[in-house]
Amino acid sequence: MRAAPPAALAERYAANREGIRAAERMAANCGDKRRAATLRAMVDPARQFLSFDGRYGGRTAEVFGDLSRAERIAVLVPGSDTSLNTYERFQAGAMVLQ
């Protein structure tokens, strides 16, 4: 990831934020209030998502810290019972690790 300059990462984070907003609108339109609330929290500009796929249970990769300057990277892989609806619980563990 060192080859990715901060500006390129910022573009990627912004594009994923737009995808999350679209998924939030879709969840709200379908009446899934829990998913919509989870996604609404994810569009906070302070959060950085390297990838996002809202289909099915949802998949995402959130970055904590400055990825372009990181000397070490930890990747946490959730269990089969983790979805976007339970992501906050997983996120809390990642923040502790950071």
Side-chain angles (χ1 to χ4, degrees):
M1 292 306 300
R2 287 190 186 272
L9 287 171
E11 278 183 34
R12 185 169 186 134
Y13 300 151
N16 283 313
R17 194 171 297 112
E18 288 306 312
I20 294 167
R21 280 191 183 102
E24 186 271 328
R25 286 190 299 272
M26 186 177 294
N29 290 340
C30 292
D32 190 341
K33 293 178 183 178
R34 181 178 178 192
R35 173 67 63 95
T38 296
L39 293 166
R40 211 172 7 263
M42 291 172 71
V43 296
D44 181 332
R47 295 181 73 180
Q48 306 171 116
F49 290 91
L50 193 57
S51 70
F52 175 81
D53 181 350
R55 296 175 292 177
Y56 312 110
R59 296 182 187 128
T60 190
E62 186 169 7
V63 174
F64 298 90
D66 186 346
L67 186 58
S68 66
R69 295 177 39 183
E71 292 181 19
R72 283 178 250 132
I73 298 172
V75 178
L76 304 180
V77 180
S80 62
D81 64 335
T82 302
S83 69
L84 290 177
N85 290 340
T86 59
Y87 179 73
E88 287 179 9
R89 193 175 60 215
F90 188 74
Q91 177 202 22
M95 291 176 69
V96 168
L97 180 62
Q98 180 196 18

